[in-house]
Amino acid sequence: MTKTTTTASAPVLGARALNRATLDRQLLLRRAPLTAGAAVEHLVGLQAQNVRPPYYALAARLDGFAPERLAEPMAAREVVRIVTLRSTIHTHTADDCLTLRPLVQGARDRELHLFRKGLHGVDLDRLTALARDLVEAEPRTMAQLRAALGAQWPDADPQALGVAARCRLPLVQVTPRGLWDRGGQVALTTAEHWLGRPAAPTPREGDHREGDHTALEAAVLRYLAAFGPASVRDMQTWAGLTRLRPVFERLRPRLLTFRDDGGTELFDLPGAPRPDPDTPAPPRFLPEYDNLLLSHADRARVVPARYRGRNATGNQAHRTLLVDGFLAGLWKPEGDTLVIESFGPLTRAQRQDVTAEAERMLAALHPGASCDIRFGTVVGR
């Protein structure tokens, strides 16, 4: 049987079926009784350009969450902040930091190639060794690192020197950065130095020899467990990697296949949950850059076509509201008020449920604070 025939005969999963399956794996159908570390591991990290989004992400997903449940393992170096997937800062467990960062090294090498003009005459191996010595002697801000590297290569572009250090080395943000309600500049050291153990070997991107199979295949299986059912392009979007088709093909005998309404082939784990499409989905308040909305090439499973593009302005993502499992509006704090802006009318019951969820979120993250909840209006477009 040809692959085309197999795909054509695979069961179809519509948008609601994909929505409920993904919400279940994202811990968004019901709050999970997990530790913050276990949730971060299951979710394969939380996007974290800013300090607070991972806390809001876990408040939407975990039963009884309070900020210290993430701040404490971060202070204990059990979870860390590091640039990994899609060249963005993520909060990962220490183990994932040491395995996922090497997995995306090929993407970091491609990113660095974009800055080659500013690095003319720079010996990258020497830069890497010097940068490692600097940040392992003591954590450095990026400005300090650029200045020290610039003293060695005064003709190079300072920004390119900083990018080179970040791309060539697994640089983590040391605490107190990342702790709830704690200030502090971004100071960097290597993951190996911060965690006291070596990172995994770096697989060769696109080189699918036997020695590289384990890490890539494990990443595919974990992605499907947290974001599936999904296509090859979906995972490539999530990871910022290319040429993953051979990895999926090796795993095909161990996976189920489906197709979406457009005929795209989707892969999934045999034992993964795929709830009934009519399973109730409670409202959820998600932070800007939540991975739920960024980890698929086709986001129709969460973003209705009529609201496509409404959850971001340029590269700036907004805080999003889910109603019945789908993007339904935005939210934002304005002083002592939480403003909820729905894209369309909500029923009385939906408004009550959204208000109750807002109160739950505020009680978890801002206990004792006085905060009004107000429904605003988003101008249609």
Side-chain angles (χ1 to χ4, degrees):
M1 181 179 293
T2 66
K3 177 182 166 184
T4 301
T5 302
T6 301
T7 302
S9 61
V12 175
L13 295 176
R16 285 189 67 87
L18 290 173
N19 175 272
R20 294 315 196 250
T22 308
L23 291 181
D24 197 334
R25 298 173 208 197
Q26 282 287 301
L27 314 179
L28 289 168
L29 277 186
R30 64 198 69 83
R31 283 183 169 80
L34 297 176
T35 66
V40 171
E41 178 182 16
H42 168 73
L43 297 167
V44 207
L46 301 169
Q47 193 154 330
Q49 276 98 320
N50 301 321
V51 169
R52 290 197 167 192
Y55 293 88
Y56 282 95
L58 292 180
R61 291 169 164 90
L62 298 186
D63 185 34
F65 180 77
E68 59 268 21
R69 290 181 59 184
L70 178 60
E72 289 173 358
M74 184 168 289
R77 307 189 188 188
E78 296 168 4
V79 298
V80 299
R81 291 167 56 84
I82 184 172
V83 173
T84 54
L85 309 166
R86 303 185 297 278
S87 192
T88 54
I89 300 168
H90 277 68
T91 295
H92 287 296
T93 65
D95 287 344
D96 280 349
C97 168
L98 295 171
T99 56
L100 287 175
R101 177 56 178 80
L103 195 68
V104 299
Q105 183 57 49
R108 299 292 71 73
D109 292 340
R110 290 198 306 275
E111 180 185 356
L112 181 55
H113 187 67
L114 299 175
F115 292 83
R116 62 190 182 279
K117 290 184 179 179
L119 295 168
H120 180 70
V122 176
D123 183 330
L124 289 178
D125 289 337
R126 183 178 164 222
L127 178 147
T128 303
L130 177 58
R132 181 183 291 276
D133 288 344
L134 287 166
V135 299
E136 290 186 350
E138 63 177 292
R140 311 272 179 156
T141 67
M142 186 54 75
Q144 291 171 332
L145 190 54
R146 285 195 298 262
L149 296 173
Q152 296 294 317
W153 291 281
D155 295 331
D157 175 54
Q159 181 187 7
L161 291 173
V163 170
R166 180 177 62 81
C167 288
R168 297 277 295 208
L169 291 172
L171 297 178
V172 300
Q173 298 184 0
V174 305
T175 53
R177 183 70 176 180
L179 303 184
W180 182 258
D181 281 348
R182 292 282 301 276
Q185 287 183 301
V186 174
L188 305 165
T189 190
T190 64
E192 298 97 333
H193 185 72
W194 187 245
L195 299 174
R197 48 198 170 103
T202 301
R204 295 179 177 86
E205 188 178 6
D207 186 348
H208 304 291
R209 297 177 299 180
E210 189 64 33
D212 288 340
H213 287 186
T214 302
L216 289 166
E217 291 177 1
V220 169
L221 297 176
R222 291 188 63 195
Y223 170 74
L224 293 176
F227 295 95
S231 69
V232 176
R233 285 187 63 236
D234 286 333
M235 179 169 176
Q236 291 181 164
T237 296
W238 168 78
L241 296 175
T242 60
R243 295 178 286 179
L244 291 181
R245 170 63 67 178
V247 186
F248 277 81
E249 292 302 329
R250 287 198 302 272
L251 289 170
R252 184 181 289 274
R254 298 167 54 185
L255 301 175
L256 299 179
T257 56
F258 301 90
R259 54 195 172 100
D260 64 17
D261 288 330
T264 299
E265 184 177 41
L266 306 173
F267 294 85
D268 204 10
L269 305 176
R274 288 177 290 277
D276 187 288
D278 292 327
T279 301
R284 290 290 185 258
F285 288 84
L286 300 182
E288 62 270 32
Y289 302 110
D290 193 280
N291 277 353
L292 175 70
L293 284 87
L294 298 173
S295 300
H296 300 88
D298 182 356
R299 300 171 186 176
R301 70 181 66 201
V302 181
V303 181
R306 65 187 181 279
Y307 298 149
R308 191 174 300 146
R310 299 286 294 276
N311 62 304
T313 301
N315 291 328
Q316 177 61 53
H318 303 307
R319 303 175 184 90
T320 54
L321 168 68
L322 303 184
V323 175
D324 189 31
F326 291 89
L327 175 67
L330 309 177
W331 63 275
K332 58 185 177 181
E334 289 188 353
D336 295 332
T337 302
L338 178 70
V339 179
I340 301 166
E341 301 175 326
S342 63
F343 293 151
L346 300 176
T347 67
R348 181 176 180 180
Q350 286 174 329
R351 287 171 69 96
Q352 291 174 340
D353 289 344
V354 168
T355 300
E357 177 64 17
E359 291 172 345
R360 186 196 309 264
M361 175 186 68
L362 293 170
L365 295 173
H366 307 280
S370 176
C371 188
D372 293 330
I373 298 171
R374 177 171 62 84
F375 285 84
T377 301
V378 171
V379 178
R381 58 174 183 162

